[in-house]
Amino acid sequence: MKHLIFLLLFVPLPLWSQEYRKCPSFNTKEKWESQYAFTENKQDVLNLLEWLTSTPATEQLVERSAASIFVLEWVTRNPDIIVNVEVGPYSEYLFTEDLMLGYLFGNILFALKHENKVKPDAQRTAGLKSLLFVIEHSELYSKNRIFKSLLRANRKGELIEFDNQMWLNYKSHALLSFEKLN
């Protein structure tokens, strides 16, 4: 009987803990001195973005930092890419680096995967989903009341409607603010 209790208590423990995959490999010393270098590294950037948006911000911190820097340098230095990321009404949600990067990386990943047919609404939704991943995998953020409406909309499968409503309210507020200035 003691052995059975021991097995029940300790054997499932590794099954309960979730293991996330390791950071994809990339050349940390890349300088991108030619257009070929940007093209050659695109798949690495996509792999890193997939990993960054599907691994909690508290996992593999050193690797996350290096991967984030690599991705951001590739995106900002690449002369053939312009990624527009709209923050708009979500600025109140993005008050830490983890949250901002989560939203940003979701947007960038979507934009790179859909280069010629980017729709701002779909790109923002991808950013929100990435942001939600960060929130849901953080004890601190998941309990914060500022995220309740976002989490509720996601649970109900209404994230796209939530996003559309947020932007309508944001644009209406911006128009009212503009009219008051005149």
Side-chain angles (χ1 to χ4, degrees):
M1 187 63 160
K2 289 180 186 178
H3 296 294
L4 181 60
I5 292 173
F6 177 79
L7 285 173
L8 289 174
L9 288 175
F10 295 106
V11 171
L13 192 60
L15 298 176
W16 291 331
S17 66
Q18 184 159 5
E19 291 239 358
Y20 294 94
R21 63 188 178 100
K22 290 186 182 253
C23 179
S25 61
F26 61 98
N27 180 5
T28 58
K29 295 181 182 6
E30 180 65 66
K31 298 294 182 210
W32 297 295
E33 293 176 359
S34 70
Q35 185 55 39
Y36 176 74
F38 286 103
T39 305
E40 187 178 67
N41 283 282
K42 183 175 182 183
Q43 190 57 52
D44 289 341
V45 169
L46 287 169
N47 292 341
L48 289 170
L49 283 166
E50 288 281 349
W51 179 77
L52 286 164
T53 58
S54 64
T55 305
T58 55
E59 298 286 323
Q60 305 175 52
L61 296 177
V62 173
E63 293 84 356
R64 272 189 92 68
S65 179
S68 296
I69 291 168
F70 184 85
V71 166
L72 290 173
E73 282 186 1
W74 185 87
V75 170
T76 57
R77 294 178 66 193
N78 191 330
D80 292 339
I81 291 183
I82 295 175
V83 178
N84 293 315
V85 176
E86 296 178 329
V87 176
Y90 301 117
S91 59
E92 69 180 89
Y93 292 109
L94 308 175
F95 53 83
T96 68
E97 182 180 334
D98 292 340
L99 297 170
M100 178 61 87
L101 288 175
Y103 182 75
L104 180 65
F105 289 151
N107 273 272
I108 293 171
L109 178 61
F110 185 88
L112 290 176
K113 283 185 168 182
H114 303 90
E115 278 183 50
N116 298 326
K117 49 190 178 243
V118 173
K119 295 180 180 175
D121 295 351
Q123 183 178 329
R124 279 195 318 268
T125 302
L128 285 176
K129 287 180 180 180
S130 182
L131 174 64
L132 280 166
F133 183 84
V134 174
I135 293 167
E136 290 172 338
H137 287 85
S138 166
E139 198 172 316
L140 177 66
Y141 299 141
S142 63
K143 292 179 181 176
N144 190 322
R145 65 180 171 79
I146 200 168
F147 301 117
K148 291 214 186 284
S149 57
L150 186 60
L151 290 166
R152 190 177 322 112
N154 189 48
R155 273 193 297 275
K156 291 180 175 180
E158 299 172 351
L159 192 58
I160 293 170
E161 293 83 4
F162 177 87
D163 178 48
N164 290 336
Q165 189 61 45
M166 288 287 288
W167 278 93
L168 282 173
N169 291 341
Y170 176 73
K171 288 178 181 177
S172 296
H173 180 70
L175 281 174
L176 288 173
S177 297
F178 180 73
E179 287 174 9
K180 286 180 184 178
L181 291 175
N182 292 330

